[in-house]
Amino acid sequence: MTVRIATWNINSVTARLPKLLEWLESAKPDVLCLQELKCAADAFPYEPVRELGYETAAHGTGRWNGVAIVSRIGLDDVVRDLPEQPGYLADDALLPDVEPRAVAATCGPVRVWSVYVPNGREVDHAHYRYKLEWLEALRRASLEDAAGERPFAVLGDFNIAPGDDDVFDVAAFEGLTHVTPAERAALAALDAAGLHDVVPRPLKYDRPYTYWDYRQLAFPKNRGMRIDLTYANKPFVDAVTDSYVDREARKGKGTSDHAPVVVDLDL
């Protein structure tokens, strides 16, 4: 069977609902992993998505994070949050907040996680340490599935550019998050655990960027980053027939600042 799996930081599912429905109808993914819902799970627009033939597992609290998986090939064994997922202890908080940043499901023959990795903010910030702790929890959570025979992938906004070629100008990011050795080491640890970067092809230009800031004409100037990633085990990677960044979905007004990444499989 052929399976199309995609990931998209939607940057508010309510604000982008018309874009989401339009894209589901045109791209026809079997499974779509969403990040940055910015809505509570009970406020997710289940019905219009269901009308297109998709079930949804959403995990959100109504703040700026939140993740979901929508699928038209089954949605079983749903898990919300990573096992032993760390929380973020803000400066004015008494207890760490375990944020809704991960949801997993089995969709037909494939097991997927939709993840929204913490941003990290600044290298000397507590949120940066939280980001690295969160990535280690993701590595531990992935070990069993990574070694299994079932196709398995972790898809989402990792807030890390794997290499210098994955940002428009590495000098512009000197001393900033998303490109530091520690963050990239966390991706290398996923690779060592049996999950490999499925690099998509660009539909335009020479680099498959997935994110462009809204400011300073970043999108038309192609001043982008590749931070929306697919890390997959060998059975998944071996089944990949194509992968691309749907840059067209980033065009126009009212879009997310991220583009969907699509992966086609022959299973």
Side-chain angles (χ1 to χ4, degrees), residues 81-205:
D81 297 328
L82 303 173
E84 302 177 1
Q85 179 174 310
Y88 174 58
L89 183 61
D91 291 341
D92 56 350
L94 297 177
L95 295 172
D97 181 16
V98 179
E99 300 170 322
R101 293 185 173 273
V103 61
T106 298
C107 305
V110 179
R111 180 75 175 168
V112 298
W113 278 96
S114 175
V115 300
Y116 184 29
V117 175
N119 177 280
R121 300 183 187 174
E122 299 172 357
V123 173
D124 59 353
H125 198 283
H127 208 266
Y128 180 78
R129 296 190 296 275
Y130 164 55
K131 180 178 190 175
L132 298 179
E133 293 169 358
W134 201 96
L135 286 161
E136 171 56 20
L138 175 61
R139 185 195 67 82
R140 293 195 305 266
S142 302
L143 287 172
E144 183 176 350
D145 284 314
E149 296 182 1
R150 175 175 58 183
F152 168 72
V154 180
L155 305 98
D157 180 356
F158 278 71
N159 274 311
I160 304 171
D164 288 354
D165 287 344
D166 294 310
V167 295
F168 70 90
D169 180 5
V170 70
F173 291 87
E174 185 175 354
L176 303 180
T177 60
H178 292 53
V179 299
T180 65
E183 291 167 293
R184 289 176 172 175
L187 292 182
L190 290 179
D191 188 88
L195 296 178
H196 310 298
D197 185 8
V198 178
V199 181
R201 60 183 174 88
L203 292 187
K204 186 178 181 180
Y205 301 114

Side-chain angles (χ1 to χ4, degrees), residues 236-263:
F236 188 105
V237 172
D238 288 347
V240 173
T241 59
D242 192 16
S243 182
Y244 63 91
V245 180
D246 191 351
R247 192 178 186 278
E248 295 297 307
R250 176 62 173 80
K251 291 182 177 179
K253 295 182 179 180
T255 65
S256 171
D257 44 3
H258 296 249
V261 179
V262 178
V263 184

Side-chain angles (χ1 to χ4, degrees), residues 57-99:
H59 184 32
T61 59
R63 288 178 288 180
W64 51 267
N65 43 39
V67 288
I69 298 171
V70 300
S71 171
R72 61 179 184 179
I73 57 171
L75 196 65
D76 301 311
D77 302 322
V78 174
V79 175
R80 292 172 173 84
D81 297 328
L82 303 173
E84 302 177 1
Q85 179 174 310
Y88 174 58
L89 183 61
D91 291 341
D92 56 350
L94 297 177
L95 295 172
D97 181 16
V98 179
E99 300 170 322

